[in-house]
Amino acid sequence: MKQTILPVESIQERDVDLILLEELSTDNSFCEWFIRELELPDLTSVNGAWRSISAFGLGETDILFSYNSSDKKIFLLIENKLDATFQNEQFNRYLKRTEEYLTKKECDNAFAVLIAPELYCENQSDFENYLTYETIAERLEFVGSKRNLFKSNLLQIATEKLRRGYQPVNSVPVQSFWHSYWEFKEENYPSLIMKKPDIVPHNSDWPMLYDDRLKNIVFYHKLGQGNTDATFKGFPEQVGVKIKELLPEWAKFKKHTKSFSIRVFSGKIDRTKDFNEQLESVANGLKNLERTRNWIIENKNWL
């Protein structure tokens, strides 16, 4: 029996940085695809890509990618994660760097983007704009050159490394908050379905709720952001267009990479602090989720 021998034993984040840096620096078709997948402003020309950029005393951007969209200059601040946890305030520093670039007029728009394995992306609650290793590997494999097939294989090795080693680590204070949240919801908003929390990692910041009458719609309470979202997954574009036309003034429409949401700001909540001290914001968030859910049901003839 022929035995498959891996080209490398292990892939590190730095290796993925260099794969991505090469593609963004040399292949315009990859750049166009990359921007389309993230559903960002259309790419008309590329300015360049750079690795490990420190700016404004606000930490480091793994990869800075600059492109033009018609007459607008766009910056992408890309964070690459394989298996390391986020540093304290890391996402907020990314947001602050995007704001500084805009303030200093170095670009016309800037976005913070996460690149990571799918398992990592689904277990983080900060970056709304993200692209998975698996999606990039599929793109490289689809192009099909020998060089791209090799890079695709490397990304698959990286993904498998995370899958084999992933063990969620429980955070006692965050778990305590989630349990109190679930109990409050069960007592006051029983028609919104939420799984009873078990192991709750430190980064868990988006309780997910559902309604059996609304398929492919997930209700997120994004605690740290203060946003309550009803997120539509897999719906055609015309549904989003219709929602934007009908949306009441108390809600906003938010486009994500592969979905869209009805969003209401409900007040920021710190999952690591005492639940009872933040009960008013929790109640306000659940009230807004229920309000949004009811509005969708009342208008669901366009779904």
Side-chain angles (χ1 to χ4, degrees), residues 219 228 230 246-253 262-266 285 287-296 298-299:
F219 297 88
T228 45
L246 297 173
L247 205 60
E249 61 180 15
W250 47 265
K252 294 181 179 180
F253 184 86
I262 298 173
R263 171 169 291 180
V264 182
F265 183 76
S266 301
K287 180 187 72 175
N288 283 329
L289 285 175
E290 184 179 62
R291 185 185 191 187
T292 304
R293 187 273 311 273
N294 292 341
W295 183 85
I296 294 170
E298 290 169 5
N299 294 275

Coordinates of all heavy atoms in Angstrom, one line a residue, residues 219 228 230 246-253 262-266 285 287-296 298-299:
F219 N -30.4 34.4 15.9 CA -30.5 35.6 16.7 C -29.2 35.6 17.6 O -29.0 34.7 18.5 CB -31.7 35.7 17.5 CG -33.0 35.8 16.7 CD1 -33.6 34.6 16.3 CD2 -33.5 37.0 16.3 CE1 -34.8 34.6 15.5 CE2 -34.6 37.0 15.5 CZ -35.3 35.9 15.1
T228 N -27.7 43.5 19.0 CA -28.5 42.3 18.9 C -28.9 42.2 17.4 O -29.5 43.1 16.8 CB -29.8 42.5 19.7 OG1 -30.4 43.8 19.5 CG2 -29.5 42.3 21.2
A230 N -30.4 39.8 14.1 CA -31.1 38.6 13.5 C -30.4 38.4 12.2 O -30.5 39.2 11.3 CB -32.6 39.0 13.3
L246 N -38.3 47.7 3.9 CA -39.3 47.7 4.9 C -38.9 48.0 6.3 O -39.7 48.2 7.2 CB -40.0 46.3 4.9 CG -40.7 45.8 3.6 CD1 -41.1 44.4 3.7 CD2 -41.9 46.7 3.3
L247 N -37.6 48.0 6.5 CA -37.0 48.1 7.9 C -37.5 49.3 8.7 O -37.5 50.4 8.2 CB -35.5 48.1 7.8 CG -34.7 47.6 9.0 CD1 -35.0 46.1 9.2 CD2 -33.2 47.7 8.7
P248 N -38.0 49.0 9.9 CA -38.4 50.2 10.7 C -37.3 51.0 11.2 O -36.1 50.6 11.2 CB -39.1 49.5 11.9 CG -38.5 48.1 12.0 CD -38.2 47.7 10.5
E249 N -37.5 52.2 11.7 CA -36.5 53.2 12.0 C -35.7 52.7 13.2 O -34.5 53.2 13.4 CB -37.1 54.5 12.2 CG -38.1 54.6 13.4 CD -38.7 56.0 13.6 OE1 -38.5 56.8 12.7 OE2 -39.3 56.2 14.7
W250 N -36.2 51.8 14.0 CA -35.5 51.4 15.2 C -34.4 50.4 14.9 O -33.6 49.9 15.8 CB -36.4 50.9 16.3 CG -37.5 49.9 15.9 CD1 -38.8 50.2 15.5 CD2 -37.3 48.5 15.7 NE1 -39.4 49.1 15.1 CE2 -38.6 48.0 15.3 CE3 -36.3 47.6 15.9 CZ2 -38.8 46.7 15.0 CZ3 -36.5 46.2 15.7 CH2 -37.8 45.8 15.3
A251 N -34.3 49.9 13.7 CA -33.3 48.9 13.3 C -32.5 49.3 12.2 O -32.8 50.2 11.4 CB -34.0 47.6 13.0
K252 N -31.3 48.6 12.0 CA -30.4 48.9 10.9 C -30.1 47.6 10.1 O -30.3 46.5 10.7 CB -29.1 49.5 11.4 CG -29.2 50.9 12.0 CD -27.8 51.4 12.5 CE -27.9 52.8 13.1 NZ -26.6 53.3 13.5
F253 N -29.8 47.8 8.9 CA -29.4 46.6 8.0 C -27.9 46.5 8.0 O -27.2 47.5 7.8 CB -29.9 46.8 6.6 CG -29.7 45.6 5.7 CD1 -30.5 44.6 5.6 CD2 -28.5 45.6 4.9 CE1 -30.3 43.5 4.8 CE2 -28.3 44.5 4.0 CZ -29.2 43.5 4.0
I262 N -30.4 42.1 10.6 CA -31.2 43.2 11.1 C -30.6 43.5 12.5 O -30.5 42.6 13.4 CB -32.7 42.9 11.3 CG1 -33.3 42.6 9.9 CG2 -33.4 44.0 11.9 CD1 -34.7 42.1 10.0
R263 N -30.1 44.7 12.7 CA -29.3 45.0 13.9 C -30.0 46.1 14.7 O -30.5 47.1 14.2 CB -27.9 45.4 13.5 CG -27.1 46.0 14.7 CD -25.6 46.1 14.3 NE -25.0 44.8 14.1 CZ -23.7 44.5 13.8 NH1 -22.9 45.6 13.5 NH2 -23.3 43.3 13.7
V264 N -30.0 45.9 16.1 CA -30.4 46.9 17.0 C -29.4 47.1 18.1 O -29.0 46.1 18.7 CB -31.8 46.6 17.6 CG1 -32.2 47.7 18.6 CG2 -32.8 46.3 16.6
F265 N -28.9 48.3 18.4 CA -28.0 48.5 19.4 C -28.7 48.4 20.8 O -29.7 49.1 20.9 CB -27.2 49.8 19.3 CG -26.2 50.0 20.3 CD1 -25.0 49.3 20.3 CD2 -26.4 50.9 21.4 CE1 -24.0 49.5 21.3 CE2 -25.5 51.0 22.4 CZ -24.3 50.4 22.3
S266 N -28.2 47.6 21.7 CA -28.9 47.4 23.0 C -28.1 47.7 24.2 O -28.6 47.5 25.3 CB -29.4 46.0 23.0 OG -30.2 45.7 21.9
G285 N -31.4 43.9 25.6 CA -31.0 43.1 24.5 C -32.0 42.0 24.1 O -32.4 41.9 22.9
K287 N -35.2 42.0 24.9 CA -36.4 42.6 24.5 C -36.3 43.0 23.0 O -37.2 42.8 22.2 CB -36.6 43.9 25.3 CG -37.9 44.7 24.9 CD -38.0 46.0 25.7 CE -37.0 47.0 25.1 NZ -37.1 48.3 25.8
N288 N -35.1 43.5 22.6 CA -34.9 43.9 21.2 C -34.8 42.7 20.3 O -35.3 42.7 19.1 CB -33.6 44.7 21.1 CG -33.9 46.2 21.5 OD1 -35.0 46.7 21.4 ND2 -32.8 46.8 22.0
L289 N -34.3 41.6 20.8 CA -34.3 40.3 20.0 C -35.7 39.8 19.7 O -36.1 39.5 18.6 CB -33.4 39.2 20.6 CG -31.9 39.4 20.6 CD1 -31.3 38.3 21.4 CD2 -31.4 39.3 19.1
E290 N -36.5 39.9 20.8 CA -37.9 39.5 20.7 C -38.7 40.4 19.7 O -39.5 40.0 18.9 CB -38.6 39.4 22.0 CG -40.0 38.9 22.0 CD -40.6 38.9 23.3 OE1 -40.8 39.9 24.0 OE2 -41.0 37.8 23.8
R291 N -38.4 41.7 19.9 CA -39.1 42.7 19.0 C -38.7 42.5 17.5 O -39.6 42.5 16.6 CB -38.6 44.1 19.4 CG -39.3 45.2 18.7 CD -38.7 46.6 19.2 NE -39.5 47.7 18.7 CZ -39.1 49.0 18.8 NH1 -37.9 49.2 19.4 NH2 -39.8 50.0 18.4
T292 N -37.4 42.2 17.3 CA -37.0 41.9 15.9 C -37.6 40.6 15.4 O -38.1 40.6 14.2 CB -35.4 41.8 15.9 OG1 -34.9 43.0 16.4 CG2 -34.9 41.6 14.4
R293 N -37.6 39.6 16.2 CA -38.2 38.3 15.8 C -39.7 38.5 15.5 O -40.2 38.0 14.4 CB -38.1 37.3 17.0 CG -38.5 35.9 16.7 CD -40.0 35.6 17.0 NE -40.5 36.1 18.2 CZ -40.5 35.4 19.4 NH1 -40.0 34.2 19.4 NH2 -40.9 36.0 20.5
N294 N -40.4 39.2 16.3 CA -41.8 39.5 16.0 C -42.0 40.2 14.7 O -43.0 40.0 13.9 CB -42.5 40.2 17.2 CG -42.5 39.4 18.4 OD1 -42.4 38.1 18.4 ND2 -42.7 40.0 19.6
W295 N -41.2 41.2 14.4 CA -41.3 42.0 13.2 C -41.0 41.1 12.0 O -41.7 41.2 11.0 CB -40.3 43.1 13.2 CG -40.4 44.0 12.0 CD1 -41.2 45.1 11.8 CD2 -39.6 43.8 10.8 NE1 -41.0 45.6 10.5 CE2 -40.1 44.9 9.9 CE3 -38.6 43.0 10.3 CZ2 -39.5 45.0 8.6 CZ3 -38.1 43.1 9.0 CH2 -38.6 44.1 8.2
I296 N -40.1 40.2 12.1 CA -39.8 39.2 11.0 C -41.0 38.4 10.7 O -41.4 38.1 9.6 CB -38.5 38.4 11.3 CG1 -37.3 39.3 11.3 CG2 -38.4 37.3 10.2 CD1 -36.1 38.5 11.9
E298 N -44.1 38.9 11.4 CA -45.2 39.7 10.9 C -45.0 40.0 9.4 O -46.0 40.2 8.7 CB -45.3 41.1 11.6 CG -45.9 40.9 13.1 CD -45.7 42.2 13.9 OE1 -45.3 43.2 13.3 OE2 -46.0 42.1 15.1
N299 N -43.8 40.1 9.0 CA -43.5 40.4 7.6 C -42.9 39.3 6.8 O -42.3 39.5 5.7 CB -42.5 41.6 7.5 CG -43.1 42.9 8.1 OD1 -43.8 43.6 7.4 ND2 -42.9 43.1 9.4

